[in-house]
């Protein structure tokens, strides 16, 4: 599966702006607006075949609506994205760059079926826990193109971020023989969200997005399950499970959890504390060590930036994607 590059920036709410319908008199002389999700590693089409975009323009002190929640579809034959062909584009018409605008603003969510609401300064996504990237929800980084910017008149390259958090387990075993770890479960001490809505507010002045607290719609106290892990003989490093889970960034994730499993048929469990709640776009790998004395010990959390399926090292502090 291809991967996507992501950028997430945290900031304050932006001030609400008036939204009006824009009719540019010189629109027919301008280049046509078109989109292509930006990626250095892959394209959005490797996961989703559509997204929704909201486009507005700056004219004087007004923010004028241009494309209010247009659906953009991927055409596999042409390998291009279109908002006037494919499913769900009824009533959508071709738009052009407005040469009288000081700037064009773009925000987007994917897939379109998980975009619950949009405006010129906010996006609400429907989220669910998942075991594959296709079950996640994505949002775009604030994109502003000024009249004199080199990007003006060209394809709009949107950068997307995961709204879900990535959670996995890793094991280090001290043994001269191969060890099979089975029946792996991660059990919470309280209920966590399984479905939720997440609002994101866009600050166009600072070009940042604020991720608000998800509003849980469904909850569960059931354990999270992970596939079996085979640790090679005399292995010195950590071995992760092959299928992470992509979780809603729920504040309820903070607190005590219990991991349980069987090492070659021997049942073991240990409780540990998640000190910080999961955040959108972050990867959390909880590490455990099992030694010859049959002790299972929690060794800490590896926090990383979640870039597609490849986490990258994170130095701590406020996390930015780039």
């Amino acid at each position: 599966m291809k991967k996507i590059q992501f950028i997430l920036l945290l900031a304050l709410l932006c001030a609400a702006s008036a939204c009006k319908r824009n009719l540019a008199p010189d629109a027919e002389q301008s280049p046509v607006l078109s989109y292509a999700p930006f990626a250095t590693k892959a394209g959005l089409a490797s996961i989703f075949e559509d997204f929704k975009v909201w486009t507005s323009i700056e004219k004087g002190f007004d923010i004028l609506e241009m494309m209010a929640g247009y659906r953009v579809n991927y055409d596999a034959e042409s390998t291009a994205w279109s908002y006037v062909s494919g499913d769900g584009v009824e009533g959508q018409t071709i738009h052009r760059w407005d040469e009288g605008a000081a700037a064009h603003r773009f925000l987007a969510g994917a897939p379109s079926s998980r975009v619950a609401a949009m405006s010129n300064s906010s996006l609400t996504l429907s989220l669910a826990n998942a075991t594959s990237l296709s079950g996640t929800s994505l949002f775009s980084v604030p994109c502003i193109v000024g009249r004199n910017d080199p990007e003006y008149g060209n394809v709009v390259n949107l950068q997307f971020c995961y709204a879900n958090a990535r959670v996995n387990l890793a094991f280090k075993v001290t043994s001269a023989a191969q060890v099979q770890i089975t029946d792996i479960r991660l059990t919470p001490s309280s209920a966590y969200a399984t479905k939720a809505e997440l609002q994101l507010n866009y600050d166009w002045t600072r070009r940042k997005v604020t991720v608000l607290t998800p509003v849980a719609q469904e909850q569960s106290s059931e354990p999270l399950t992970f596939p079996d892990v085979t640790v090679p003989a005399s292995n010195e490093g950590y071995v992760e499970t092959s299928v992470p889970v992509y979780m809603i960034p729920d504040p309820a994730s903070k607190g005590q959890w219990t991991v349980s499993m069987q090492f070659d048929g021997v049942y073991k469990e240990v409780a540990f504390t998640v000190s910080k709640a999961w955040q959108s776009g972050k990867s959390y790998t909880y590490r455990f060590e099992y030694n010859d004395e049959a002790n299972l010990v929690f060794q800490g959390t590896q926090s990383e930036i979640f870039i597609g399926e490849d986490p990258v090292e994170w130095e701590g502090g406020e996390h930015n994607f780039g």
Side-chain angles (χ1 to χ4, degrees):
M1 178 179 288
K2 298 179 179 178
K3 309 174 185 77
I4 306 175
Q5 180 181 12
F6 302 87
I7 297 178
L8 174 62
L9 301 166
L10 303 179
L12 301 174
L13 287 172
C14 65
S17 299
C19 233
K20 303 178 182 178
R21 174 67 60 181
N22 173 53
L23 297 174
D26 57 352
E28 291 300 319
Q29 305 303 316
S30 306
V32 172
L33 271 169
S34 58
Y35 301 92
F38 174 85
T40 57
K41 293 189 175 183
L44 183 67
S46 62
I47 303 176
F48 301 124
E49 295 182 346
D50 60 75
F51 63 90
K52 276 191 176 181
V53 65
W54 186 287
T55 304
S56 55
I57 61 174
E58 301 174 13
K59 274 193 173 182
F61 295 102
D62 291 326
I63 305 302
L64 309 177
E65 173 191 307
M66 179 177 279
M67 302 174 73
Y70 270 36
R71 173 167 167 163
V72 185
N73 295 313
Y74 181 70
D75 185 337
E77 288 190 14
S78 64
T79 65
W81 294 82
S82 172
Y83 53 84
V84 292
S85 63
D87 296 335
V89 300
E90 294 78 8
Q92 297 182 181
T93 58
I94 289 288
H95 282 267
R96 297 175 179 271
W97 292 84
D98 189 330
E99 295 181 349
H104 290 65
R105 301 176 176 182
F106 307 91
L107 65 87
S112 62
S113 60
R114 293 177 198 148
V115 176
M118 302 182 84
S119 73
N120 68 313
S121 60
S122 70
L123 170 67
T124 301
L125 295 172
S126 297
L127 270 61
N129 297 333
T131 55
S132 67
L133 293 178
S134 62
T136 61
S137 300
L138 285 71
F139 62 93
S140 70
V141 172
C143 177
I144 304 179
V145 178
R147 180 63 184 85
N148 297 319
D149 291 342
E151 295 85 2
Y152 179 87
N154 295 316
V155 175
V156 179
N157 290 318
L158 298 171
Q159 298 174 323
F160 282 87
C161 313
Y162 281 121
N164 296 67
R166 179 184 185 273
V167 176
N168 206 358
L169 306 178
F171 303 94
K172 184 177 182 181
V173 179
T174 303
S175 175
Q178 175 179 289
V179 174
Q180 190 76 8
I181 307 174
T182 59
D183 196 23
I184 304 171
R185 296 172 180 266
L186 186 59
T187 304
S189 58
S190 60
Y192 57 88
T194 55
K195 290 186 178 180
E197 284 197 345
L198 178 67
Q199 182 176 330
L200 305 108
N201 290 330
Y202 285 72
D203 184 336
W204 296 105
T205 301
R206 303 178 64 187
R207 303 195 182 195
K208 296 182 179 180
V209 57
T210 300
V211 183
L212 303 187
T213 301
V215 178
Q217 297 173 321
E218 295 183 15
Q219 293 182 308
S220 175
S221 297
E222 291 297 312
L224 303 176
T225 59
F226 295 84
D228 296 348
V229 173
T230 300
V231 180
S234 303
N235 187 69
E236 296 182 356
Y238 284 90
V239 179
E240 289 191 30
T241 76
S242 59
V243 181
V245 289
Y246 303 98
M247 303 295 292
I248 294 168
D250 185 2
S253 61
K254 183 178 178 180
Q256 182 171 293
W257 290 71
T258 299
V259 67
S260 61
M261 71 225 51
Q262 296 194 45
F263 291 87
D264 286 340
V266 178
Y267 179 84
K268 291 292 177 181
E269 69 174 43
V270 64
F272 67 101
T273 300
V274 174
S275 58
K276 293 184 179 181
W278 298 329
Q279 296 178 354
S280 293
K282 286 286 297 294
S283 172
Y284 303 87
T285 303
Y286 300 106
R287 293 181 166 186
F288 302 88
E289 186 169 347
Y290 183 72
N291 57 34
D292 289 333
E293 287 74 36
N295 294 321
L296 179 62
V297 180
F298 174 58
Q299 294 290 8
T301 307
Q302 184 179 18
S303 297
E304 303 167 302
I305 304 303
F306 178 21
I307 306 295
E309 291 181 321
D310 288 342
V312 297
E313 293 300 327
W314 179 58
E315 300 296 333
E318 295 296 339
H319 57 284
N320 298 333
F321 286 60

